[in-house]
Amino acid sequence: MIVELDKADFSKCRELLNEQGQLEAKAVVERINPGRIFVDNRDNPSSGLIWLGNNDGFIFFGSEQNEEFNNELNNLIDNIIIPAAKKVQLKWFEGVGNHEKWNPIIASVFEHRHLGSWLQRVYTLEQGDYKGDTVPIVNHEYELCKISATLLDNKDHSIHNIVFLQSKIEAFWSSTDIFLSKGMGYCIIHHNEIVSTCISGFVAANVHGIDIETIEAHQGKNLAQTLAHHYVQECLKNNWIAYWDCMDMNKPSVAIAEKIGFRNRFHYTGYEFSL
């Protein structure tokens, strides 16, 4: 039987996580970022599934050879995940293994669900890796701004689309206060509108996961690269490790990461099916 853990018991999963696995899993288990955890045994779990709080995916962790857990996964999907997903208009299940031994298990358990797959790259940047000579020059109409409580409050209503930034933060964090205390970020403003953001999506220990988004009309203007540089500089100043997770086919993200000095630490496979 698969049960959902209370948040107070998430720490029981610490020893089951792959130290070289995804940052997101650690961030949820440490209760820094929101999420739900389903396990085989409430008191002494050996296998589990994390549902990321930003609805961006599911992570299988622990023992992949737990037949009782594996046999119950489709029931969990049908009876718990799908009804909850419909409430938040989530249409796809995107799952990954916290270690690669999960890959054949995921493929086998969900083979009847028209399973698709893709490849992810994980990059990190530490002291000594940074290539600071690649900072681009952007049009003077674009203003760089560090994200602060004052900016988010927007009491003077100077930012016309502040909801864009607020919703980005709320997707990853339980509150803006927690984001401001645990994470950080920068944005670019153009004519009183935020057009590009770079924030800490997930955080665990001294590792900060980067989330970047640029409004389509302003893409191709080196805004993401500019933000990434400032984000990395802030990380290095605080002895944090910048962590970048992107799809292998996302060539613009790969190019920015490698140009700045990020090193590809590992790959992992993602699996998807419609809910």
Side-chain angles (χ1 to χ4, degrees), residues 1 8 60 81 95-96 98 102 132 200 204 209 227 259 263:
M1 182 177 178
F60 295 86
I81 302 300
V96 304
N98 191 228
W102 271 107
S200 302
L227 287 173
K259 190 171 185 178
R263 297 191 184 190

Side-chain angles (χ1 to χ4, degrees), residues 27-202:
V28 172
V29 167
E30 295 300 329
R31 297 169 57 189
I32 298 169
N33 291 92
R36 300 171 68 179
I37 300 181
F38 302 89
V39 294
D40 62 318
N41 185 293
R42 196 184 307 277
D43 299 316
N44 187 29
S46 60
S47 304
L49 176 66
I50 295 170
W51 186 354
L52 300 179
N54 66 340
N55 293 320
D56 200 30
F58 299 79
I59 301 176
F60 295 86
F61 67 94
S63 172
E64 81 289 351
Q65 295 298 327
N66 188 337
E67 289 191 15
E68 184 177 357
F69 178 80
N70 296 345
N71 290 338
E72 286 294 319
L73 282 170
N74 279 295
N75 287 334
L76 175 69
I77 299 297
D78 293 334
N79 300 317
I80 303 296
I81 302 300
I82 288 179
K86 287 182 177 179
K87 291 179 181 179
V88 295
Q89 298 182 316
L90 180 65
K91 298 181 179 180
W92 288 88
F93 180 97
E94 297 180 342
V96 304
N98 191 228
H99 53 76
E100 62 182 14
K101 291 180 181 178
W102 271 107
N103 292 353
I105 302 300
I106 296 171
S108 174
V109 168
F110 301 123
E111 63 181 347
H112 63 292
R113 294 185 183 264
H114 304 291
L115 200 64
S117 65
W118 75 95
L119 191 65
Q120 290 281 132
R121 297 188 184 204
V122 171
Y123 291 87
T124 62
L125 191 151
E126 304 178 36
Q127 297 284 353
D129 294 336
Y130 178 51
K131 298 176 182 177
D133 58 349
T134 62
V135 180
I137 297 174
V138 298
N139 189 295
H140 68 276
E141 292 183 348
Y142 292 102
E143 175 192 357
L144 177 81
C145 185
K146 187 173 182 180
I147 298 171
S148 65
T150 301
L151 176 67
L152 290 168
D153 289 341
N154 195 37
K155 289 182 178 178
D156 60 359
H157 304 290
S158 60
I159 305 300
H160 301 156
N161 66 336
I162 194 64
V163 173
F164 169 58
L165 177 58
Q166 292 169 339
S167 62
K168 288 290 296 180
I169 292 171
E170 289 167 3
F172 290 96
W173 298 89
S174 300
S175 71
T176 54
D177 287 342
I178 295 176
F179 164 74
L180 290 169
S181 66
K182 300 286 188 181
M184 61 92 178
Y186 290 84
C187 64
I188 289 178
I189 300 170
H190 180 263
H191 294 171
N192 299 105
E193 285 196 339
I194 294 172
V195 297
S196 190
T197 65
C198 179
I199 67 169
S200 302
F202 290 88

